[in-house]
């Protein structure tokens, strides 16, 4: 009995240490994240603050799309109301990946077609765990799958899907109208320079490095929008260390 108690105590201690380590790593990874306030960025592009994430609205004279769906449904609803945007007017939501802080307000966009990378489907159908035994859970069951390089046109808005795996296997960036680049969690920004996202959140950091190098070769981009690290209007300077 004593031996069993010692072993049980040891296992419990390891469990507590493991939990403490993960909490510490999570809090460390969260430092440096800074969303931007809701409002216009450039003509036709709006940021929407949703707790720890930003989502983005791109609009033309006739249509509007959304990049990601935020971390908090209620806050997203209120921020859209302030911006005088009716969620039901959004024609499409392009998800950079399926983590909870990017899909929480998806129900608001009741008339939108949901697009997601074909390589991310494994994260929402239960085949691949996000971290340890934890799996991504989503509230939607209907969606369109996108391949690397695929182009979708919504009215006058042209969206190019760019596979940028690393944060998750199916992380995807979107180049809109050739000049706006939305990267989700594929990268961070610090002092205007592109950095890796915190290792704690990445499933394959080597793939993430290759993904950053990939989008560092794009031409004509003049705005880069991240989900947790703000934006930059100086694409060339931001990516110069990744070429």
């Amino acid at each position: 009995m004593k031996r069993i108690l010692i072993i049980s105590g040891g296992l419990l201690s390891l469990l507590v240490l493991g939990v403490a380590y993960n909490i510490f790593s999570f809090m460390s990874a969260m430092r440096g994240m800074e969303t931007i306030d809701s409002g216009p960025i450039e003509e036709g592009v709006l940021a929407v603050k949703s707790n720890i994430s930003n989502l983005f609205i791109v609009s033309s004279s006739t249509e509007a799309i959304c990049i990601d769906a935020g971390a908090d449904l209620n806050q997203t609803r209120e921020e859209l109301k302030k911006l005088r945007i009716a969620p039901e007017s959004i024609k499409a939501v392009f998800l950079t990946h399926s983590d909870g802080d990017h899909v929480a307000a998806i129900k608001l966009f009741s008339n939108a077609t949901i697009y997601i990378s074909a390589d991310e489907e494994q994260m929402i159908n239960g085949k691949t765990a996000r971290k340890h035994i934890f799996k991504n859970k989503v509230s939607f069951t209907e969606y369109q799958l996108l391949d690397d390089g695929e182009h979708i046109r919504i009215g006058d808005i042209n969206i190019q899907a760019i596979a940028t795996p690393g944060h998750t296997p199916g992380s995807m960036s979107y180049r809109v109208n050739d000049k706006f680049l939305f990267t989700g969690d594929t990268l961070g920004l610090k002092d205007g320079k592109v950095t890796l996202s915190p290792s704690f959140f990445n499933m394959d950091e080597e793939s993430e490095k290759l993904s950053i190098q990939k989008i560092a070769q794009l031409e004509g981009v003049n705005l880069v929008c991240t989900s947790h690290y703000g934006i930059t209007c100086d694409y060339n300077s931001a990516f110069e260390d990744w070429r």
Side-chain angles (χ1 to χ4, degrees), residues 35 46-50 52-58 64-73 76-77 80 85 87 90-109 112-117 120 136 138 140 146 159 164 167-168 170-174 176 181-187 225-230:
T35 53
L46 291 168
V48 182
K49 184 177 176 65
S50 181
I52 60 171
S53 293
N54 278 121
L55 57 127
F56 300 92
I57 306 291
V58 181
I65 67 168
C66 192
I67 310 295
D68 281 333
D72 184 276
L73 187 149
T76 302
R77 180 192 290 115
L80 289 173
I85 295 174
I90 302 298
K91 298 298 183 182
V93 177
F94 291 84
L95 296 175
T96 60
H97 60 296
S98 59
D99 284 353
D101 55 334
H102 295 256
V103 303
I106 198 77
K107 289 182 178 180
L108 291 179
F109 307 105
T113 301
I114 300 170
Y115 292 90
I116 194 166
S117 167
E120 189 73 0
N136 282 355
V138 297
F140 55 88
L146 293 170
I159 304 97
T164 49
H167 184 70
T168 63
S171 286
M172 184 162 267
S173 297
Y174 297 100
V176 179
L181 180 64
F182 301 91
T183 62
D185 290 356
T186 292
L187 54 87
C225 299
T226 75
S227 295
H228 303 288
Y229 299 93

Side-chain angles (χ1 to χ4, degrees), residues 196-214:
L196 288 170
S197 295
S199 298
F200 179 80
F201 296 121
N202 296 331
M203 295 178 70
D204 186 342
E205 198 155 275
E206 291 306 309
S207 291
E208 183 176 298
K209 292 176 182 177
L210 294 175
S211 293
I212 294 174
Q213 291 170 0
K214 176 181 178 179

Side-chain angles (χ1 to χ4, degrees), residues 5-49:
L5 289 174
I6 292 173
I7 293 173
S8 298
L11 292 174
L12 181 59
S13 296
L14 288 173
L15 178 62
V16 171
L17 286 173
V19 171
Y21 173 79
N22 276 283
I23 292 174
F24 174 79
S25 299
F26 174 80
M27 296 304 296
S28 297
M30 292 291 290
R31 288 199 295 268
M33 290 187 178
E34 186 174 352
T35 53
I36 59 177
D37 291 335
S38 299
I41 301 172
E42 287 199 12
E43 184 177 356
V45 183
L46 291 168
V48 182
K49 184 177 176 65

Side-chain angles (χ1 to χ4, degrees), residues 177-192:
N177 293 339
D178 297 324
K179 57 186 178 179
F180 307 134
L181 180 64
F182 301 91
T183 62
D185 290 356
T186 292
L187 54 87
L189 286 172
K190 185 176 181 180
D191 300 325

